Amino acid sequence: MMAPNRNTLWANVLVDELAAAGVEYACLAPGSRSTPLTTAFAASEVEVVSLLDERSAAFFALGRGRQSGEPTAVVTTSGTATANLHPAVMEADEGRVPLVVLTADRPPELQDSGANQTADQTKLYGSAVRQYRTLPEPAPRPRALRSLRVTADRAVADAIGTPAGPVHLNIPFRKPLEPVHVEGDVPDDLGERAPLAVEGRDGPFVGISQGAVTLADEELDRVAGVIEGADRGLIVAGPASQPTPAREALVGLARATDFPVLADPLSGHRFGHADSVGICGGYDSYLDASEEWGWPDPDVVVRFGASPTSKVLRHYLRDSEARQFVVDPAGEWTEAEFTASDLLVADPTRLADDLADRIATGGDDAWRERFERAEETYWSLLDRTTTDANFEGAVLSTVAAEIPAGATLVVGNSMPVRDLDRFGQPRARSVRILGNRGVSGIDGVTSTALGAASATDGPLVGVLGDVSFYHDMNGLLALARAEVEATIVLLNNDGGGIFHMLPIEDFDPPFTDFFKTPHGLDFSPVGELYDAEFVRTASLDGFESLYRESLAAPGTQIIEITFDAAESHRVRETIHEDVRTELR
């Protein structure tokens, strides 16, 4: 049966083609102007969830896309609803996460007229999207429908291309918005006259093939020659949603070069490798004193992924005179100290494999052994010094040590990701670690975690601070509406603890009222509000017990552990100095 009106037909064709192109999940925020899109998704094969807060819906879609690597759609009505997607769009852009943003809009004649809920949505997200297009008004014409299908296919291809990221289709509709019959709006014989336009093809209307970028043989030989001639080399694996390069490729390159691998906790390589690979995770502490020990600089560095979380590592690389190869398949610059010497525009996995095949001799054994000794000393010291230390870093250490294989850990920005970087010991157990380090906002972390939970069958653990938790309490509604479960670790130091790391701490006022910003909130009612178990402890022993119980229990548990932010920071400083002293 033909669609009852042109809006319904238009939305049905668009959603049908998005599904054919690879969109399997959509987050729908309620609204009137988006009614044709909502009804089309609800009747389609695409799995859908209704989330009431647009900002939370967008971060949920982001989390799902970051976990799966597949494009997730998010749908909103017109007006301010569209602006609420912007933080997640920014993160998807910088974090290279596929996201399909569909915003409904008022018809053209209502623009700049004072009409209700009407705003200029043209290129709303600026340069943050891989593709933007305002679609033409719905038209039941074969050519227009074929064009719509091609637009949908191209949008999805851009979302999953190199680099992956968000795309924005702005879709104007005039009334009626509901699937009511409008006499003569859609020709009864349109399906017979233009079956290709109305029904599409078996699969995408347009198949779009995208290849991997590789270096020419002579360039590969040149780079391999530089690496092979180095005595002191490093491989740096920065943040990435998927392991970059792929794990087997990194293992091959590490063994061919005999270089230590400094693996960011968000790289996909800190956890899941055998001990023999040479994965290092304590560098954020011990490299800070490398100059005092007379530790020589590296002479070559191969860098994958985004810029490392560790400021110590970034500055160590900045201050060295090493030949630095930055690998980026999109040819974008991802090194903010501007000391790298070479940009290799190539697929990271293919490049690692190609280089490993060409390298016959590895680096200096003493150089590798220096890192091995530093790692062993650091983690042994950490075990001794944190046994009785009740500070936030010990929680991240415990979370990483106890999380089971096959689980996903979503870690918040500010201090949690930094503590995981410094206190998360490399392990052979395979665990996904995700975080929003594209623009490093503290908003949307809960929704990101629950979106990631929707795309995995394994356990999901989220660790975030109290201000970040406050920012996205609305996101907890997804527990029921998306039928997901999680262990949520809430580090409550009553405000912005990270500001104790900055010089502004010495200036009070205004430090306490305007930077630390203690809020005094009691989060326990959140458990009853969102049907989750809420428990609280003030000790590391208490947390360890509650954490293990939660990992083995059904449902969602929110585990709050309270700290004094200033005291936690002093413990971090003491451990850091102890490491410098012992290694020196």
Side-chain angles (χ1 to χ4, degrees), residues 309-486:
T309 300
S310 168
K311 182 178 180 180
V312 169
L313 175 55
R314 296 195 305 269
H315 286 188
Y316 172 74
L317 297 176
R318 176 198 66 189
D319 296 338
S320 78
E321 297 182 357
R323 180 88 175 263
Q324 293 192 49
F325 294 96
V326 173
V327 181
D328 190 80
E332 295 182 346
W333 191 257
T334 58
E335 194 273 295
E337 298 297 339
F338 306 104
T339 55
S341 54
D342 297 78
L343 174 62
L344 305 182
V345 183
D347 176 79
T349 298
R350 289 279 297 273
L351 178 67
D353 284 337
D354 289 339
L355 291 175
D357 289 342
R358 285 168 163 77
I359 294 170
T361 58
D364 180 41
D365 288 343
W367 170 254
R368 179 186 174 93
E369 289 165 2
R370 183 186 293 266
F371 276 88
E372 290 173 348
R373 288 196 304 273
E375 284 285 306
E376 182 179 356
T377 302
Y378 174 71
W379 296 113
S380 176
L381 175 66
L382 205 61
D383 283 343
R384 298 196 307 272
T385 56
T386 60
T387 300
D388 299 317
N390 198 47
F391 77 113
E392 294 156 45
V395 172
L396 271 300
S397 177
T398 298
V399 166
E402 299 286 341
I403 194 168
T408 298
L409 169 60
V410 176
V411 61
N413 284 313
S414 195
M415 288 313 303
V417 69
R418 289 173 169 83
D419 281 339
L420 182 64
D421 193 16
R422 182 167 287 190
F423 304 113
Q425 185 172 1
R427 298 181 187 276
R429 189 184 308 127
S430 182
V431 178
R432 289 293 306 280
I433 313 290
L434 304 176
N436 289 340
R437 292 298 289 176
V439 284
S440 300
I442 64 169
D443 51 347
V445 177
T446 298
S447 294
T448 299
L450 299 184
S454 76
T456 179
D457 295 327
L460 188 289
V461 177
V463 181
L464 65 165
D466 51 296
V467 178
S468 191
F469 186 78
Y470 162 78
H471 262 276
D472 194 25
M473 286 190 291
N474 286 357
L476 291 169
L477 190 62
L479 290 171
R481 298 186 77 86
E483 298 181 337
V484 294
E485 298 179 350

Side-chain angles (χ1 to χ4, degrees), residues 17-60:
E17 196 58 41
L18 289 172
V23 174
E24 299 180 351
Y25 199 99
C27 301
L28 312 179
S32 175
R33 191 59 51 168
S34 54
T35 296
L37 296 170
T38 299
T39 55
F41 270 112
S44 74
E45 63 186 38
V46 176
E47 187 176 356
V48 296
V49 61
S50 171
L51 298 172
L52 310 189
D53 182 295
E54 289 89 358
R55 185 176 70 167
S56 294
F59 275 107
F60 186 98

Side-chain angles (χ1 to χ4, degrees), residues 8 16 41 51 72-74 155 169 173 198 217-218 275 300 310 329 345 355 365 410 464 495 523 538 552-553 583:
T8 300
D16 178 67
F41 270 112
L51 298 172
T72 299
V74 58
L169 299 181
F173 294 107
V198 175
D217 286 343
E218 56 269 25
D275 293 340
V300 68
S310 168
V345 183
L355 291 175
D365 288 343
V410 176
L464 65 165
F523 291 112
L583 290 178

Side-chain angles (χ1 to χ4, degrees), residues 7 9 27 105 151 163-164 185 198 249 271 369 405 422 439 476 489 520 538:
N7 285 342
L9 173 65
C27 301
D105 202 354
T151 297
D185 205 27
V198 175
F271 308 96
E369 289 165 2
R422 182 167 287 190
V439 284
L476 291 169
V489 179

Side-chain angles (χ1 to χ4, degrees), residues 131-343:
Q131 180 194 130
Y132 159 79
R133 186 173 177 189
T134 289
L135 300 185
E137 293 185 71
R141 298 191 302 271
R143 187 178 184 182
L145 294 171
R146 294 195 301 271
S147 171
L148 179 62
R149 289 187 180 275
V150 172
T151 297
D153 291 332
R154 293 177 61 194
V156 174
D158 284 346
I160 61 176
T162 303
V167 295
H168 177 206
L169 299 181
N170 190 51
I171 310 158
F173 294 107
R174 66 181 70 252
K175 293 184 177 181
L177 303 170
E178 300 73 24
V180 297
H181 180 71
V182 177
E183 188 65 33
D185 205 27
V186 178
D188 292 336
D189 63 346
L190 181 61
E192 298 175 8
R193 290 190 294 107
L196 194 62
V198 175
E199 302 296 334
R201 294 190 169 104
D202 184 14
F205 194 77
V206 175
I208 300 176
S209 300
Q210 304 183 69
V213 182
T214 60
L215 295 185
D217 286 343
E218 56 269 25
E219 285 298 300
L220 286 167
D221 292 339
R222 177 183 67 85
V223 176
V226 173
I227 294 173
E228 199 169 33
D231 292 325
R232 301 182 305 278
L234 290 175
I235 298 171
V236 175
S241 294
Q242 308 295 328
T244 303
R247 285 182 174 173
E248 289 185 3
L250 181 78
V251 169
L253 182 61
R255 287 179 174 160
T257 59
D258 216 25
F259 291 173
V261 179
L262 310 189
D264 192 278
L266 301 179
S267 66
H269 294 296
R270 176 78 68 94
F271 308 96
H273 284 290
D275 293 340
S276 60
V277 178
I279 300 295
C280 301
Y283 51 80
D284 187 61
S285 200
Y286 59 72
L287 283 183
D288 198 28
S290 60
E291 187 174 344
E292 298 175 29
W293 319 333
W295 192 320
D297 285 344
D299 44 26
V300 68
V301 181
V302 183
R303 302 176 60 161
F304 298 99
S307 182
T309 300
S310 168
K311 182 178 180 180
V312 169
L313 175 55
R314 296 195 305 269
H315 286 188
Y316 172 74
L317 297 176
R318 176 198 66 189
D319 296 338
S320 78
E321 297 182 357
R323 180 88 175 263
Q324 293 192 49
F325 294 96
V326 173
V327 181
D328 190 80
E332 295 182 346
W333 191 257
T334 58
E335 194 273 295
E337 298 297 339
F338 306 104
T339 55
S341 54
D342 297 78
L343 174 62

